[in-house]
Structure formats: structure tokens, C-alpha cells
Amino acid sequence: MDMIKHLMETRRDSVIAFGIVIVGYVVMQALMATGNLSYTISGLMVPICAYIVMAVSLNLTVGILGELSLGHAGFMSVGAFTGIVVTTVLAGSVELPMLRLAIAMVAAALAAAVVGVIVGVPVLRLKGDYLAIVTLAFGEIIKNIVNVLYIGLDSRGLHFGLVTPRFTLEEGGKMIINGPIGVSGIDKISTFTAGFVLILITLFIILNLINSRQGRAIMAVRDNKIAADSIGISTTRYKLMAFVISAAFAGMAGTLYAMNYSTVTAAKFDFNLSILVLVFVVLGGLGNIWGSVIAAILLTALPELLRALNFNDYRMLVYAVLLIALMLFNNSNFKQRLLERRAMKQAEKEPKEVA
Amino acid sequence: MALLEVTDLGISFGGLRAVDELNMTVEQGALVGLIGPNGAGKTTVFNMLTGVYRPTDGGIRLDGENLVGKKPHEICKMGIARTFQNIRLFNKLPVLDNVKTGFHNEVTYTLPESLFHAGSYRKKEKQMDEKAMEILKVFDLDGQWDYKAANLPYGKQRKLEIARALATDPKLLLLDEPAAGMNPNETAELMETIELVRRRFQVTVLLIEHDMKLVSGICEYLYVLNFGRLLAQGTPVEVLSNPEVVTAYLGG
Ligand SMILES: Nc1ncnc2c1ncn2[C@@H]1O[C@H](COP(=O)(O)OP(=O)(O)O)[C@@H](O)[C@H]1O
Ligand SMILES: [Mg+2]
């Protein structure tokens, strides 16, 4: 019996995912160092990192747990604004920007996880389309709440207001979140390297989870809820576990993303963003973690690369055609047959090993 | 005390009385059959025993402990495992992992251990791999441990479901038409396997079968259900010679 082969197979996906990310990082660093990177592309590096973390974490909910969530940007928003508040508060006390960013991300993960529990407990009782619609509503609600949220900081501490800033700041105080105007004057402490490290951590944790008893329980719930129940798996517990971990990583991606711009508004984390990330997950393949990584990179960079190649007039056309082609391929009989052939080959191989 | 005691069990779906006043006991170590024509209410009894349905009347006790109102996953922890008439495997998971999910409450480690693959993770996973392969061997599935469950032939899928149920280390194993869709050879072989499993895993078995002759070979005691009510009970010989049973079958 060749358990080694089994180990290699389960590890293969992890190796590919880490491989893509590490090679990508080294290549981009080299291009940056030699000045071969256009201004737009280098400006995209941190957002791409954030999108990768978003896609990988959403894949945990949609691909591994099998529940369609249309509100992933809501968790990103929670993380973004938590991160902004925390970094502002820590600006005086924690000198090292990287450390401040790391602390902000931990706080963002916790905040998004708490919101994940609050949303998840009622929502995960729903099935399929209902769950999708409620998560969509959740994303919009978060956007609308942040739109009327006022948070200020002065020597007395933090001040909160909803709808109107019901507080007056002392001399030298700072308005952190200013309702619909959002946040401006952000200390841009996110870096490509920080994004790279966050992706590595995300991949490490989520791939480890998938290859564990909890991960198997989550996938068992996805494949057959009644059967999972029948072998002693609490389906509500594992649904919530996947959903909350997914939300926590979206929160960290939010901080990474927000600390890359000088201004951020709630409108950035809207339904369109949730759908964009969902497109990454679906095109990369449900449950396929490295697929999410590739899809997030390609679909974000492609329009810009086509622009750089002077395809300007046809840029969006090429992009759209590629998207449609990929989508068709993913749902085609052709792909189905490829997969079946692979299964057949496997089946032919096996009897020899048994004998 | 019997392992399983069912008293005056009943359930209604709207106006339909699917099971009514069912009394049944299964002794420790026994192999008991629950038979009856299609639509008699056999699967509904299993669904009540495993918490999928909540009975409208009556009681269920396992080792003296009440089961009514408990959730399916709690009932599994108390010692009942089952298979399904319409196979329910984890189709996208490998055969090996289907069995490993069955160890969910048997071999455990914490969430942090799994997120970092630290602590007892490696040891426990190895232990699960070995135990799972042992069970797969009993069902002659060890050669296909890395197949996706969905890619197994039908007969082997049925066996895998039993293997997964046994992984939970149950006191009572419920099998819902395990031979459905199998040819006579496969059926005979499966019945032998069930006998073997029962000895090896020291498990009590309650078995649903549509085909009366088939179970009479291996079951020590039979309960016959018809229109949700108990029609007869006894040893296979007694039951088979009961004229009411014969009519129920010919009529159904
Ligand atoms: N969830 C349900 N809702 C309504 N009727 C049901 C339900 N489950 C079972 N029944 C009915 O109960 C009766 C017994 O079904 P079942 O237990 O599946 O029979 P068997 O397994 O003996 O063939 C049938 O008439 C069936 O339609
Ligand atoms: Mg049935």
C-alpha cells in the first residue's frame, strides 16, 4: 500500500499554491528592483494580494463548505475599517509600521470573525438561494452602516457616532471615519511584502484546515448533510467554523487593502466586489485553492497587461472573451470528459496494484 | 436489559400514519431483520431511531437511555450508526477519507492542532489511516482507497457506507436494504460479510430487507411491518409460515 503516494497527492495542491505565490513574489521583486514595472502594475501589487486572500478565503465557504455567499466584501469592509481605527490609535505607541499593520490585521480578523458569528448563526440555517440572498443583504447592510459611522480620536480616547457625529473632538483630535466621506489621510503602511506574507499565512492555515479532521467534517457536510449527521458530525458547528474562519481572513485582506490607499470609503466594499471575488473562485475551480490564486492574479492583472501591450482598443473585449471561454470550459462536457479519462486511467492502474 | 427498546412508537405525516404502535426489542449481539413490503414504514422507523424524524408518540431507549428528541449526531455518539436505502456517501472525498470521517468522535484533536498541523495531528492522522485501511480490507475496498467515492461501482459504494458506519464504533448498526440493486451473487457475498462484520466488530445489527427469503438466511429474529403496523414477529421459520405474512407479501 502506498500511503506515500496519497500524501504526495494531498500535498500536491499545497505545493502548487505555495509555488505560484513564491515564484510570483520573487519575479515581481526582481522586476521592481530592475525598474521594469509600470506604475500601474506596481500599484496593483497590494490589491492583488488582498484579492488572493479574499478568493482563497471565499473558496473555503463556497468550494469547501459548499454554501454560496454573496457578501464576502462585507467582512472585508469590517476588517478594513477596524484596521484603520487600530493603526490610527497605535500610531503614537507602536513605531514599527509592519508591527502596527500586523496588530491591526489580528484585530481585523477578530472583528470580522465576531461579525461572522453574528451573521452565520441565523444565516447558516438557511439553504442555498436563501442563504445567498441573506449574505447579499448583509454586505449591503455593512456598507450602509459604515456610511453613517463616525469615529474620532482625541486625548480622551475614541468617540463613536451613528448617523451624526454626536461628539466634538478636542483641539488636535482626529476624525478617523467620517460617515459617507469615509477615511482620508491614511498612513499607507501596506507593502507588497506584507501582502505576500499574509497570503502565505492564509494558504498555510486554510490548506492545513482542509487536510484535517475538521476540514473533512466540513467537506462531509458539503457532500451530504444527512450522512454527516449520521456519523456524529454536528453540521451547524462545522458550517459556522468554515464561515467564521473565512470571514476572519477576509477581515485581514480588508486591512491590507485599506492601508494601501490614502482614502477609503465604504462604497469600495460593495456587491460588485463580492461578485468579483466569487468570479475568481468559480473560474479557479470550486474547492481548488491554487485555482483561486491564479484566477485572482490573472483576472486582476490581465486588463492592465493588455493595456500595456497597446491593446487598448480591444482590451476589454479580449478580457470578456477570455472570461466567457474559461466559464464555458469550466462547465463543458469537454472538461467533464477530461476528468473522466483521468479517473479511467486511475481505474486501469489500480487492479495491478491490488494483485 | 435489551440493547434497543422501542415502545408504542408512532409517527404521522399530516394525515398519514406512517408507523403506529410499534413495539420492538433488539438484544445485545443479535442480528435482527425488519421486513415488509414497499412503503410499510421500515425506513421511517430507522429515521426515528436515528433522530432524522421525531416520533409523534412512543419511546426509544438504547441501553436504557432515552433517544427521543436527541439530534442525529448525538444519537451517533450514543452508539447508533446507519446506512441509507439511497446511498449517501461523501462523493467528492476519497474512499479512505469517507471512512476517516467516521472516526470524527473516536480519534480527535483540537482546531489549533489542525490549523498548524501541530501537537498530536500527525500521530492521530496516521492512526486513523491505519484503522481505516483495516476496515476497508474487511470489505475488500483497500485496493481502491484513493478513488473518489462517486467513482466506485454501485456494489462497492454500498459496502463503503457500511465501512463508514462501522468506523463510528457503534453498539447498534442499522442497515437499510444493503443488498438493494445487487445481483444474487453479490447479495450472497454481502450477507456473508455482514455475518463476519458482526463477529469482528462485536456489533448488534438491525437490518431492513425488502426480500423476505434473503434475510431469513442470516437473521435470528424478524419483525414484519405492514402499513406501518407490526404484522408478525418471530424466528424466520415462524414468520415465513405465518399466513398473514404470506398474504401481505403476495398482496403487496
Ligand atoms: N417525510 C415524509 N413525509 C411524508 N410522508 C413520508 C415521509 N417519509 C415517509 N413517508 C411515508 O411513509 C410511508 C412509509 O415510507 P417508508 O418508511 O419509506 O417505507 P419503506 O421503507 O418500508 O419502503 C410511505 O407512505 C411514505 O410515503
Ligand atoms: Mg425504505
Side-chain angles (χ1 to χ4, degrees):
Chain A
M1 176 189 98
D2 41 1
M3 277 297 182
I4 309 285
K5 196 184 117 206
H6 176 54
L7 211 65
M8 302 267 287
E9 294 252 315
T10 54
R11 292 287 166 269
R12 194 190 61 195
D13 288 348
S14 312
V15 170
I16 295 175
F18 280 109
I20 295 165
V21 171
I22 291 168
V23 169
Y25 177 73
V26 171
V27 169
M28 294 320 283
Q29 283 292 16
L31 286 177
M32 254 186 248
T34 51
N36 275 322
L37 224 49
S38 77
Y39 185 72
T40 21
I41 291 286
S42 48
L44 272 179
M45 298 318 295
V46 172
I48 288 180
C49 291
Y51 289 151
I52 290 175
V53 174
M54 285 296 284
V56 169
S57 58
L58 183 63
N59 207 339
L60 179 58
T61 299
V62 180
I64 304 298
L65 174 64
E67 298 288 0
L68 182 56
S69 164
L70 298 177
H72 208 47
F75 296 117
M76 191 184 192
S77 183
V78 170
F81 291 100
T82 306
I84 288 168
V85 171
V86 171
T87 44
T88 313
V89 171
L90 294 180
S93 47
V94 181
E95 287 289 309
L96 222 60
M98 273 292 157
L99 182 60
R100 217 181 322 144
L101 185 64
I103 297 172
M105 279 185 186
V106 172
L110 289 176
V114 169
V115 176
V117 172
I118 295 169
V119 176
V121 168
V123 161
L124 291 170
R125 291 163 165 269
L126 304 169
K127 283 189 187 131
D129 299 346
Y130 297 102
L131 187 139
I133 289 165
V134 177
T135 51
L136 186 159
F138 151 73
E140 291 304 294
I141 290 169
I142 288 289
K143 193 178 78 184
N144 288 314
I145 290 177
V146 178
N147 243 331
V148 293
L149 182 66
Y150 295 84
I151 298 183
L153 176 72
D154 61 18
S155 61
R156 290 169 302 175
L158 283 172
H159 303 272
F160 297 87
L162 263 186
V163 186
T164 52
R166 257 165 300 174
F167 52 83
T168 39
L169 291 172
E170 281 178 345
E171 192 79 11
K174 184 174 165 28
M175 199 65 173
I176 306 178
I177 301 177
N178 198 2
I181 302 162
V183 186
S184 52
I186 296 174
D187 201 359
K188 297 200 281 179
I189 52 176
S190 281
T191 60
F192 181 36
T193 302
F196 170 67
V197 173
L198 179 61
I199 295 173
L200 292 185
I201 294 171
T202 309
L203 287 177
F204 179 76
I205 298 280
I206 291 187
L207 287 167
N208 275 354
L209 174 67
I210 293 172
N211 290 306
S212 74
R213 74 180 261 277
Q214 286 86 351
R216 278 193 300 271
I218 293 167
M219 291 184 283
V221 172
R222 169 197 68 192
D223 281 4
N224 202 310
K225 190 183 160 327
I226 292 176
D229 258 327
S230 83
I231 53 168
I233 291 170
S234 160
T235 50
T236 40
R237 181 189 155 103
Y238 287 95
K239 276 187 181 182
L240 192 64
M241 183 184 284
F243 194 70
V244 170
I245 292 175
S246 168
F249 281 102
M252 290 199 263
T255 298
L256 179 75
Y257 186 89
M259 307 311 291
N260 185 51
Y261 296 101
S262 49
T263 59
V264 172
T265 59
K268 274 210 170 175
F269 310 99
D270 62 357
F271 178 60
N272 288 338
L273 182 60
S274 290
I275 293 297
L276 179 73
V277 177
L278 185 63
V279 168
F280 298 157
V281 173
V282 173
L283 287 184
L286 292 180
N288 179 349
I289 299 299
W290 60 263
S292 291
V293 175
I294 296 246
I297 296 172
L298 287 185
L299 294 185
T300 317
L302 204 61
E304 298 309 320
L305 286 176
L306 292 174
R307 194 209 301 273
L309 292 173
N310 266 329
F311 262 44
N312 232 348
D313 293 344
Y314 306 105
R315 184 167 72 92
M316 287 323 278
L317 181 67
V318 174
Y319 183 71
V321 168
L322 273 174
L323 256 181
I324 293 169
L326 251 171
M327 201 112 70
L328 287 176
F329 171 74
N330 257 350
N331 295 312
S332 66
N333 290 329
F334 179 65
K335 186 185 171 191
Q336 200 53 41
R337 256 178 279 146
L338 275 183
L339 288 177
E340 270 164 24
R341 265 184 47 190
R342 231 175 66 180
M344 292 262 284
K345 269 191 197 149
Q346 191 191 25
E348 279 165 19
K349 231 172 37 204
E350 285 304 327
K352 277 178 237 147
E353 282 177 25
V354 177
Chain B
M1 183 176 55
L3 177 65
L4 179 74
E5 284 178 28
V6 172
T7 44
D8 297 327
L9 193 68
I11 189 168
S12 306
F13 298 109
L16 176 81
R17 191 73 179 159
V19 174
D20 193 34
E21 285 182 31
L22 176 66
N23 286 286
M24 203 163 82
T25 52
V26 178
E27 297 294 335
Q28 180 83 45
L31 203 172
V32 175
L34 179 59
I35 64 172
N38 247 329
K42 306 180 296 292
T43 299
T44 305
V45 171
F46 272 20
N47 282 337
M48 287 189 283
L49 294 180
T50 54
V52 177
Y53 295 158
R54 197 193 164 110
T56 24
D57 316 89
I60 306 169
R61 290 182 175 275
L62 184 77
D63 263 344
E65 248 186 296
N66 170 45
L67 290 188
V68 175
K70 293 243 165 20
K71 296 202 176 100
H73 69 94
E74 293 167 339
I75 290 178
C76 173
K77 276 181 218 166
M78 293 171 71
I80 300 186
R82 72 176 289 185
T83 65
F84 298 87
Q85 185 173 351
N86 47 340
I87 303 176
R88 290 178 176 275
L89 287 170
F90 306 128
N91 277 331
K92 291 186 196 136
L93 298 187
V95 166
L96 184 76
D97 285 15
N98 267 270
V99 177
K100 283 170 80 178
T101 51
F103 297 134
H104 189 76
N105 295 310
E106 288 295 305
V107 186
T108 66
Y109 48 80
T110 63
L111 181 61
E113 282 176 308
S114 97
L115 295 184
F116 296 96
H117 281 194
S120 63
Y121 169 83
R122 254 160 252 282
K123 198 183 91 200
K124 296 276 175 67
E125 281 291 316
K126 188 160 171 275
Q127 190 186 334
M128 277 192 260
D129 283 339
E130 285 165 2
K131 277 177 75 172
M133 284 308 286
E134 259 174 54
I135 296 180
L136 286 175
K137 257 195 201 103
V138 175
F139 292 92
D140 196 22
L141 282 164
D142 51 324
Q144 285 130 319
W145 61 273
D146 58 344
Y147 277 41
K148 290 253 182 302
N151 293 339
L152 281 182
Y154 182 83
K156 297 219 165 192
Q157 292 198 3
R158 286 231 168 261
K159 288 184 175 179
L160 178 57
E161 249 200 333
I162 304 176
R164 181 183 66 190
L166 284 171
T168 67
D169 192 19
K171 295 178 199 161
L172 176 64
L173 177 64
L174 308 180
L175 302 175
D176 195 345
E177 303 204 17
M182 289 187 175
N183 65 37
N185 279 342
E186 287 174 321
T187 305
E189 189 207 313
L190 180 76
M191 291 298 157
E192 266 172 43
T193 316
I194 292 171
E195 265 294 330
L196 173 86
V197 159
R198 182 189 162 205
R199 295 218 170 82
R200 221 181 122 165
F201 295 87
Q202 309 247 313
V203 63
T204 307
V205 180
L206 178 60
L207 176 100
I208 291 182
E209 212 11 277
H210 180 66
D211 183 343
M212 201 163 43
K213 286 192 204 78
L214 199 132
V215 273
S216 55
I218 58 167
C219 293
E220 293 140 4
Y221 202 81
L222 295 179
Y223 286 91
V224 188
L225 218 53
N226 196 24
F227 296 117
R229 290 178 144 268
L230 203 57
L231 183 70
Q233 59 175 298
T235 62
V237 180
E238 287 167 4
V239 165
L240 279 172
S241 59
N242 183 325
E244 274 191 86
V245 175
V246 177
T247 357
Y249 266 85
L250 291 177

